[in-house]
Amino acid sequence: MKKTFDLVDLDCANCAQKMEDAVRKIDGVEEVQVNFLTQKMTLSADDARFDKIVKQAVKACRRVEPDCEIQLG
C-alpha cells in the first residue's frame, strides 16, 4: 500500500532527511520519501501491517522532530 501524508511544522530539510532515514529502518517499509518543500511524507509498506507501520513511523518522526505533526486523517 502507498499513501501520502501531510506534515505540519517540519522545520528543515535536514530534519526531513533524518525522519526519512528513521522510517526506512522500520520492518515492512518498502519505500519512504519525506519532502521538506511540499511538507509531505509518502510511505509504501506491507499492506497487511500498514496501520501498525504508520504508527511506528509517527513515533520515529516524533523522536527526530517533536514539533512536526503527521496528518493521518
Side-chain angles (χ1 to χ4, degrees), residues 39-51:
Q39 299 278 303
K40 294 191 184 296
M41 176 176 73
T42 303
L43 177 66
S44 295
D46 180 31
D47 288 357
R49 298 183 295 153
F50 192 80
D51 291 337

Side-chain angles (χ1 to χ4, degrees), residues 5 7 10 12-24 31-43 57 61 68 70:
F5 302 96
L7 303 174
L10 178 58
C12 67
N14 187 41
C15 292
Q17 184 62 52
K18 288 180 182 179
M19 289 168 66
E20 191 173 297
D21 292 342
V23 173
R24 190 171 283 121
E31 185 180 346
V32 63
Q33 181 182 17
V34 179
N35 189 314
F36 171 67
L37 293 176
T38 62
Q39 299 278 303
K40 294 191 184 296
M41 176 176 73
T42 303
L43 177 66
C61 290
C68 181
I70 299 172

